[in-house]
Amino acid sequence: MTAYRKISLLMLVVFLLVYSVGGWFYTVQARADIERELVSVMELANSLPAPAQLAPELVREIRHLRPVAVGGQEVKLSDDVPAWFARLLAGDLHLPTTNGWQLAPSDEVDEIWESFVLISGAFLLGMLLCFAALGWAVRQGLRPLAELGQAMVAIEKGQLTSRLKRHELQEVNDLVSRFNSMAEALEQEQNTVRELMAELLQVQDREREHIARVLHDDLGQYVTGIRAQARAWLYDPDLNSEQKKQASELAQHCETVQKHFRHLLQDLHPLVMEQLGLGAAIRHLTERWQQLSRLNCDLKVDDGLPALTGEQQTHLYRFLQEALNNISRHAKATRVSLTVSRSNGALEVEVCDNGQGVGDHAGSKGLGVRSMRERARCLRGQMKLLSQPGEGTRVLLVMPEVNV
């Protein structure tokens, strides 16, 4: 039940209680007034001549007195007042007769009924005005709460720039000030976390690049030298067949190490991107992913991709790598498509699968999805993650106004 309905119900009960108590006091006072009036009229009847001695017009004009009814007929309390009200006021009153006259309180009952109707109408009008004022006051009072609720929903959705406007009421202003302070603190905290996250990603990528170069330039050369030396032993006439067999196995082991070594280097830092560009790196990434996941990926990459900085290329490469890895780990898909294209100066990246899907990605706390969102932010792009159970997942990244 809303606050307005609760307050309205409470006020209605109070109004009905006040009306009932007031009506009771009103009827008690009215009965007392009728009794006093009848006492005075009885004295008047004693001083008047019999009704037959007066003109009929004069008899009809005398208030609270009626000629004694022929045949002992009962005097009507009132013709214009509800019977229940007349009985309530004068139903049990003794109406004596004197000098041919009988007391008749109908005139007094009529006046009391008219006053009661006017008072009830005024009470009803006042009650309606009170409810109207209450509705206006409640709406005015609840408006800040509604604005606060909308702002809190915006905060929940991550829109930490939401602020409330100042209000006329000091109590509401205190609440507005506290909310705005909280939102500002959350925004600053989020900006700090984002800066730290972006710096962490950059440090991570630089460390990966450094480790890849050290492994390639140092360890890779040693493994290559060992392999070359092992192959040279195959042609050494001083070695017997067993030694040459061991040299051949050593060369094969070195070749296997180099193969896994190249995969490791590619994971640490895509050197092919430095040598052949972003498009070739994406194709190489897709080929390797297909080999490891044993899934087919329909790849479409535009030839004229925008020129990106090395840091932007790394972020985009890691974004796609994480998206594909999420598919192989969680999606249970049979078909995958990856599209990288230009549209109106913007770079659009789309990764789709026909897997099991997920109902709600917006609140996902997985490190992979969070890193994808952070890399999208570092690229100054917008990422959308659309998914429904049983309908697959669609990841869309749009980098607007990318200059060539």
Side-chain angles (χ1 to χ4, degrees):
M1 184 180 293
T2 62
Y4 176 71
R5 290 183 178 178
K6 289 183 178 180
I7 298 176
S8 299
L9 183 60
L10 178 61
M11 287 190 61
L12 180 60
V13 173
V14 172
F15 272 114
L16 291 177
L17 181 61
V18 171
Y19 184 78
S20 300
V21 174
W24 182 79
F25 278 110
Y26 183 83
T27 55
V28 171
Q29 183 63 40
R31 284 176 59 88
D33 293 341
I34 292 175
E35 291 176 355
R36 286 195 300 269
E37 188 71 19
L38 292 180
V39 170
S40 300
V41 171
M42 178 63 92
E43 296 177 357
L44 176 63
N46 291 327
S47 63
L48 288 175
Q53 300 176 4
L54 299 175
E57 295 81 4
L58 183 59
V59 172
R60 288 193 296 269
E61 293 297 328
I62 298 177
R63 290 169 54 84
H64 308 315
L65 288 175
R66 295 291 182 269
V68 176
V70 180
Q73 295 179 356
E74 184 179 356
V75 177
K76 293 183 179 180
L77 295 178
S78 178
D79 293 330
D80 301 327
V81 178
W84 64 268
F85 189 80
R87 289 193 300 269
L88 180 66
L89 293 182
D92 56 349
L93 293 179
H94 177 60
L95 303 176
T97 61
T98 181
N99 198 19
W101 296 95
Q102 185 176 24
L103 297 179
S106 58
D107 295 332
E108 190 71 17
V109 171
D110 290 343
E111 291 179 359
I112 294 174
W113 170 252
E114 292 176 358
S115 300
F116 181 77
V117 171
L118 291 176
I119 293 174
S120 298
F123 187 86
L124 178 61
L125 178 61
M127 184 176 68
L128 294 177
L129 291 177
C130 286
F131 275 104
L134 173 65
W136 179 84
V138 170
R139 284 193 297 270
Q140 294 297 319
L142 293 181
R143 183 179 301 173
L145 295 181
E147 295 175 354
L148 176 62
Q150 294 175 357
M152 294 182 70
V153 171
I155 292 292
E156 183 181 4
K157 293 180 178 179
Q159 302 172 7
L160 300 184
T161 56
S162 299
R163 298 292 186 274
L164 291 175
K165 298 180 181 179
R166 293 183 60 82
H167 200 269
E168 299 177 356
L169 299 177
Q170 181 62 38
E171 294 82 359
V172 177
N173 269 336
D174 294 340
L175 182 62
V176 168
S177 300
R178 290 186 177 90
F179 176 85
N180 290 339
S181 299
M182 179 197 70
E184 184 177 356
L186 288 175
E187 184 181 11
Q188 293 177 354
E189 191 69 20
Q190 185 187 61
N191 291 334
T192 301
V193 171
R194 285 180 173 178
E195 292 174 0
L196 292 175
M197 188 68 177
E199 185 175 352
L200 177 62
L201 290 175
Q202 294 177 4
V203 170
Q204 182 183 16
D205 292 335
R206 287 196 296 267
E207 286 297 321
R208 285 178 171 179
E209 181 181 358
H210 174 71
I211 294 173
R213 292 189 181 280
V214 170
L215 292 177
H216 179 270
D217 296 339
D218 295 339
L219 186 58
Q221 297 299 325
Y222 285 121
V223 174
T224 301
I226 295 173
R227 180 187 176 190
Q229 184 65 44
R231 289 191 174 277
W233 286 340
L234 296 177
Y235 304 100
D236 190 345
D238 296 332
L239 299 179
N240 56 35
S241 59
E242 183 63 26
Q243 291 173 331
K244 290 181 178 182
K245 180 181 178 181
Q246 292 177 354
S248 177
E249 291 176 353
L250 178 60
Q252 291 178 359
H253 292 326
C254 288
E255 185 176 355
T256 302
V257 170
Q258 286 182 315
K259 180 180 179 181
H260 292 289
F261 193 69
R262 285 192 295 269
H263 292 167
L264 176 61
L265 293 178
Q266 186 65 27
D267 288 335
L268 288 173
H269 183 68
L271 298 176
V272 66
M273 187 164 57
E274 296 181 356
Q275 301 169 356
L276 302 178
L278 178 61
I282 295 175
R283 293 185 181 91
H284 186 265
L285 171 65
T286 306
E287 292 174 358
R288 285 197 57 239
W289 180 81
Q290 290 183 112
Q291 294 174 0
L292 295 175
S293 65
R294 298 182 180 179
L295 294 174
N296 292 326
C297 180
D298 183 15
L299 177 63
K300 297 180 181 178
V301 180
D302 285 356
D303 295 331
L305 293 179
L308 303 177
T309 64
E311 182 179 331
Q312 289 176 326
Q313 290 183 8
T314 301
H315 281 309
L316 182 56
Y317 181 89
R318 296 299 181 191
F319 180 92
L320 295 175
Q321 187 179 42
E322 188 62 42
L324 292 174
N325 289 338
N326 285 339
I327 293 175
S328 61
R329 285 196 296 260
H330 309 297
K332 297 182 180 179
T334 59
R335 295 192 310 273
V336 181
S337 65
L338 193 160
T339 304
V340 182
S341 60
R342 292 184 59 196
S343 177
N344 298 325
L347 179 64
E348 295 184 359
V349 178
E350 184 181 52
V351 183
C352 299
D353 67 74
N354 66 339
Q356 60 184 358
V358 180
D360 182 15
H361 271 294
S364 176
K365 299 181 180 179
L367 182 59
V369 175
R370 293 181 63 181
S371 66
M372 289 171 62
R373 293 188 184 278
E374 185 58 32
R375 291 192 184 275
R377 193 189 66 81
C378 293
L379 292 169
R380 296 187 178 182
Q382 294 183 349
M383 170 188 164
K384 293 183 179 180
L385 200 54
L386 309 175
S387 180
Q388 292 295 331
E391 298 181 5
T393 302
R394 177 171 175 258
V395 179
L396 180 63
L397 171 64
V398 179
M399 297 172 55
E401 299 180 3
V402 178
N403 297 324
V404 180

